[in-house]
Amino acid sequence: MPETFARRDSGAVKSDRLLSILLLLQTRGRVPAHELADRLEVSVRTIYRDVEALSASGVPVYAERGRHGGIELLAGFRTDVTGLTADESRALFILAAQGAHAALGLDAALGSALRKVMAALPAPYRPAAEVTSRRILVDATRWKGGPQPVVDLGTLQDAVFADRRLRLRYRHSGEQEARTYTVDPYGLVSKAGVWYLVADRRTKPQLFRADRVQSATVLDDAVKRRPGVELADVWEVLRRQVEERPGGLDVTVRVRRDRLDMFLRLNASQLAGLPDDDGESEWVTARLSYGVVREARALLAFTDRVEVLSPPEVRAELAAAAASVTDLYQRVGERGL
């Protein structure tokens, strides 16, 4: 960030930045000046000026230059920070509604932590924080998602926090038999209510759904992560691989207007663009992208409210599937069931 911005810092902005530096140092220990500058979006020069300001105010902070240098607080120094703003206090209590802590076995710990935060909040902000916890609810599960399998994250957590390798027995989607893998975990991610283990397998990033892990064993071997790579980095790579995976099969359909909203909602991940909708016609044309022809069978759920226009092989696939279902129920009728 240009140095001219640092010179125009308002008192509130600078105070907030000084507090952020103090909290980062208190949490992380020694931190390189360039990392603090990146995190706080200022120049390294501004960081050194802030360190001088903290030192002048009585905070025992010092900087060491060189390859292994950084900025650090004097050993043993701690400070209780109670200067949370109203928005910051609300944000903490919304965190309590996220639900991820339950799967990690941290319900009691979170409740205890929030009670301590409530006691430390400035008195004027306490009512707003308490109301937030009662007025905001975050439910990460999808509508009609069906019963969720019980997931034991204990062993996965143990490996993640102990920095140990894992041996997994893992069953992939569509396979009957589990496979055995030895992986180097980066961490756990909760995505729309589903837990994933993010790990390297033979130095390549891979995603494992926690509910498909049949068994997990923490090994004595130390984890072997790629240098400088963090959980957020690996997750971003894997997330993009899933979301940007090429479909390979373009399908054009027409949808009756009375089912359009539901169609768009249920097929959001397959949509290749906005539908051609003039706002008046009974039918609306949309384009979808699938990996293989068989995936398009999901469109049969819309019965005669969705018609595939192209390609011919998808029309044939749906016709064959519909004929198979018709044949099944005709035979049931013939048996008198």
Side-chain angles (χ1 to χ4, degrees), residues 158-230:
D158 291 344
V160 165
F161 291 121
D163 289 331
R164 292 290 183 267
R165 306 186 95 187
L166 268 171
R167 179 175 293 122
L168 303 177
R169 287 285 293 165
Y170 185 80
R171 183 186 61 79
H172 291 275
S173 176
E175 296 185 4
Q176 297 298 319
E177 298 296 325
R179 303 187 188 188
T180 300
Y181 297 115
T182 297
V183 301
D184 296 291
Y186 285 89
L188 295 165
V189 173
S190 177
K191 173 73 169 175
V194 179
W195 282 96
Y196 295 90
L197 173 71
V198 175
D200 273 355
R201 177 174 171 261
R202 298 177 179 172
T203 72
K204 302 295 183 183
Q206 194 163 336
L207 207 55
F208 299 90
R209 272 186 64 139
D211 57 11
R212 293 186 188 144
V213 175
Q214 295 191 348
S215 67
T217 304
V218 181
L219 304 180
D220 293 332
D221 302 335
V223 71
K224 298 178 181 178
R225 301 186 184 110
R226 285 167 284 147
V229 179
E230 298 291 340

Side-chain angles (χ1 to χ4, degrees), residues 252-261 263-264 271 273-288 305-309:
T252 301
V253 302
R254 64 173 189 161
V255 186
R256 283 193 183 274
R257 181 170 299 282
D258 61 358
R259 288 293 182 270
L260 181 60
D261 287 346
F263 173 84
L264 295 177
L271 283 175
L274 294 175
D276 300 332
D277 185 5
D278 60 9
E280 298 179 358
S281 302
E282 180 185 0
W283 292 90
V284 177
T285 302
R287 291 167 183 81
L288 306 171
R305 293 298 192 264
V306 172
E307 179 188 2
V308 172
L309 302 178

Side-chain angles (χ1 to χ4, degrees), residues 270-336:
Q270 281 79 39
L271 283 175
L274 294 175
D276 300 332
D277 185 5
D278 60 9
E280 298 179 358
S281 302
E282 180 185 0
W283 292 90
V284 177
T285 302
R287 291 167 183 81
L288 306 171
S289 182
Y290 291 102
V292 294
V293 170
R294 193 177 183 83
E295 291 179 0
R297 286 192 173 199
L299 296 174
L300 288 173
F302 292 92
T303 60
D304 61 349
R305 293 298 192 264
V306 172
E307 179 188 2
V308 172
L309 302 178
S310 67
E313 59 266 31
V314 174
R315 287 178 62 90
E317 176 73 18
L318 267 59
S324 177
V325 172
T326 301
D327 180 63
L328 171 65
Y329 285 103
Q330 284 179 342
R331 285 187 282 108
V332 169
E334 291 169 359
R335 293 199 300 268

Side-chain angles (χ1 to χ4, degrees), residues 27-279:
T27 304
R28 297 270 307 279
R30 179 175 297 182
V31 182
H34 68 83
E35 184 176 333
L36 288 173
D38 290 342
R39 291 282 295 271
L40 301 176
E41 298 182 342
V42 296
S43 68
V44 171
R45 208 164 158 192
T46 297
I47 291 296
Y48 281 120
R49 276 210 300 267
D50 288 345
V51 169
E52 291 177 3
L54 284 171
S55 181
S57 66
V59 176
V61 59
Y62 62 94
E64 287 189 3
R65 299 183 183 273
R67 181 178 178 185
H68 301 291
I71 297 169
E72 191 172 358
L73 294 171
L74 192 66
F77 175 79
R78 302 290 296 176
T79 183
D80 292 326
V81 179
T82 59
L84 292 173
T85 68
D87 284 345
E88 289 168 342
S89 61
R90 286 193 184 98
L92 285 173
F93 281 82
I94 289 175
L95 174 66
Q98 297 286 339
H101 52 277
L104 297 173
L106 297 176
D107 267 336
L110 182 63
S112 175
L114 288 175
R115 285 192 294 273
K116 293 177 182 177
V117 170
M118 179 68 81
L121 282 176
Y125 299 153
R126 291 176 193 169
E130 186 178 354
V131 168
T132 296
S133 67
R134 303 199 327 257
R135 296 291 183 266
I136 303 296
L137 176 65
V138 179
D139 187 343
T141 58
R142 295 180 178 179
W143 289 110
K144 299 182 179 180
Q148 295 295 317
V150 177
V151 179
D152 183 5
L153 297 176
T155 304
L156 304 183
Q157 281 190 84
D158 291 344
V160 165
F161 291 121
D163 289 331
R164 292 290 183 267
R165 306 186 95 187
L166 268 171
R167 179 175 293 122
L168 303 177
R169 287 285 293 165
Y170 185 80
R171 183 186 61 79
H172 291 275
S173 176
E175 296 185 4
Q176 297 298 319
E177 298 296 325
R179 303 187 188 188
T180 300
Y181 297 115
T182 297
V183 301
D184 296 291
Y186 285 89
L188 295 165
V189 173
S190 177
K191 173 73 169 175
V194 179
W195 282 96
Y196 295 90
L197 173 71
V198 175
D200 273 355
R201 177 174 171 261
R202 298 177 179 172
T203 72
K204 302 295 183 183
Q206 194 163 336
L207 207 55
F208 299 90
R209 272 186 64 139
D211 57 11
R212 293 186 188 144
V213 175
Q214 295 191 348
S215 67
T217 304
V218 181
L219 304 180
D220 293 332
D221 302 335
V223 71
K224 298 178 181 178
R225 301 186 184 110
R226 285 167 284 147
V229 179
E230 298 291 340
L231 171 62
D233 304 320
V234 186
W235 172 252
E236 180 63 16
V237 170
L238 293 169
R239 182 191 65 78
R240 292 170 73 176
Q241 286 178 0
V242 172
E243 293 184 355
E244 299 174 8
R245 184 178 297 161
L249 178 66
D250 294 328
V251 177
T252 301
V253 302
R254 64 173 189 161
V255 186
R256 283 193 183 274
R257 181 170 299 282
D258 61 358
R259 288 293 182 270
L260 181 60
D261 287 346
M262 180 181 291
F263 173 84
L264 295 177
R265 192 163 59 249
L266 296 181
N267 292 280
S269 60
Q270 281 79 39
L271 283 175
L274 294 175
D276 300 332
D277 185 5
D278 60 9

